[in-house]
Amino acid sequence: MTNFTKVSVADDARTELHDKLVLTGAEVSINKLLAGTSVPFVHSHKQNEEVYAILDGEGIAEIDGEKVPLKTGDWLRIAPCAKRRFFASSDKALKYVCIQVKAGSLDGYTMSDAVV
């Protein structure tokens, strides 16, 4: 048994890594919206916050009715209760990673959690 899991993913519209990486504390997905398309629904969460990393392209996140412009290199954190929907720009695809974790669950990080 090894202490890591490695996978390669295709350039699909959506790939969820929960099962592929046997994740136990987070959900991670890689998403791609073609130019001029959007996520087909508005959603929020009961307890999970989401962190988005924009890998490529441009678009807009509509969060509680506010339009937030997105571009390559942007990072965005959204509270669980916020209603959200993502749109690619009319001429560029939008590729992003979404990391979903339970809000308030971080007990330690980096140096406070590291064992040297």
Side-chain angles (χ1 to χ4, degrees), residues 4 7 20 22 35 52 60 62 65 96 98 107 112 114:
F4 67 92
V7 298
K20 293 179 184 297
V22 194
Y52 292 86
I60 291 175
E62 190 170 283
Y96 58 94
C98 176
D107 288 334
S112 66

Coordinates of all heavy atoms in Angstrom, one line a residue, residues 4 7 20 22 35 52 60 62 65 96 98 107 112 114:
F4 N 0.2 7.6 -1.4 CA -0.2 8.6 -2.3 C -1.0 8.0 -3.4 O -1.0 6.8 -3.6 CB 1.1 9.4 -2.9 CG 1.9 8.5 -3.8 CD1 1.7 8.5 -5.1 CD2 3.0 7.8 -3.2 CE1 2.5 7.7 -5.9 CE2 3.8 7.0 -4.0 CZ 3.6 6.9 -5.4
V7 N -3.1 10.5 -10.5 CA -4.0 10.3 -11.7 C -3.7 11.3 -12.7 O -3.1 12.4 -12.4 CB -5.5 10.3 -11.4 CG1 -5.8 9.2 -10.4 CG2 -5.9 11.6 -10.8
K20 N -11.3 9.4 -7.7 CA -10.1 9.1 -8.4 C -8.9 9.2 -7.5 O -7.9 8.4 -7.6 CB -9.9 10.0 -9.6 CG -10.9 9.8 -10.7 CD -10.7 10.8 -11.8 CE -11.7 10.7 -12.9 NZ -11.7 9.5 -13.6
V22 N -9.2 9.2 -4.0 CA -9.6 8.7 -2.7 C -9.5 9.8 -1.6 O -8.9 9.6 -0.6 CB -8.8 7.4 -2.3 CG1 -9.4 6.7 -1.1 CG2 -8.6 6.5 -3.5
A35 N -16.5 28.6 -24.7 CA -16.8 30.1 -24.9 C -18.3 30.2 -25.1 O -19.0 29.4 -25.8 CB -16.1 30.6 -26.1
Y52 N -11.9 28.6 -5.8 CA -11.8 28.5 -7.2 C -10.4 29.0 -7.7 O -10.0 30.1 -7.2 CB -12.9 29.2 -8.0 CG -14.2 28.6 -7.8 CD1 -15.0 29.0 -6.7 CD2 -14.8 27.7 -8.7 CE1 -16.3 28.4 -6.5 CE2 -16.0 27.1 -8.5 CZ -16.8 27.5 -7.4 OH -18.0 27.0 -7.2
I60 N -17.2 35.2 -15.9 CA -17.8 35.9 -14.8 C -18.4 34.9 -13.8 O -19.0 33.9 -14.2 CB -19.0 36.8 -15.3 CG1 -18.4 37.9 -16.1 CG2 -19.8 37.3 -14.2 CD1 -19.5 38.8 -16.8
E62 N -21.2 34.9 -11.0 CA -22.3 35.6 -10.5 C -22.6 35.1 -9.1 O -22.9 33.9 -8.9 CB -23.6 35.5 -11.3 CG -24.7 36.5 -10.9 CD -25.8 36.5 -11.9 OE1 -25.6 37.2 -13.0 OE2 -26.8 35.9 -11.6
G65 N -26.0 37.6 -7.0 CA -26.5 38.7 -7.9 C -25.4 39.6 -8.3 O -25.5 40.4 -9.2
Y96 N -11.2 26.0 -14.8 CA -10.9 26.3 -13.4 C -11.0 25.0 -12.6 O -11.5 24.0 -12.9 CB -11.9 27.3 -12.9 CG -13.4 26.9 -13.0 CD1 -14.0 26.3 -12.0 CD2 -14.1 27.2 -14.2 CE1 -15.4 25.9 -12.1 CE2 -15.4 26.8 -14.3 CZ -16.1 26.2 -13.2 OH -17.4 25.8 -13.3
C98 N -12.1 23.7 -8.8 CA -12.9 24.0 -7.6 C -12.5 23.1 -6.5 O -12.5 21.9 -6.6 CB -14.4 23.9 -7.9 SG -15.5 24.2 -6.5
D107 N -8.0 23.0 11.2 CA -7.4 23.1 12.5 C -5.9 23.5 12.5 O -5.4 24.1 13.5 CB -7.5 21.7 13.2 CG -8.9 21.4 13.6 OD1 -9.7 22.3 13.9 OD2 -9.2 20.1 13.7
S112 N 2.1 24.6 11.1 CA 1.5 24.1 12.4 C 1.0 22.7 12.3 O 0.8 22.0 13.3 CB 0.3 25.0 12.8 OG -0.7 25.0 11.8
A114 N 2.8 20.4 10.0 CA 3.9 19.6 9.5 C 4.6 18.9 10.7 O 4.7 19.4 11.8 CB 4.9 20.5 8.8

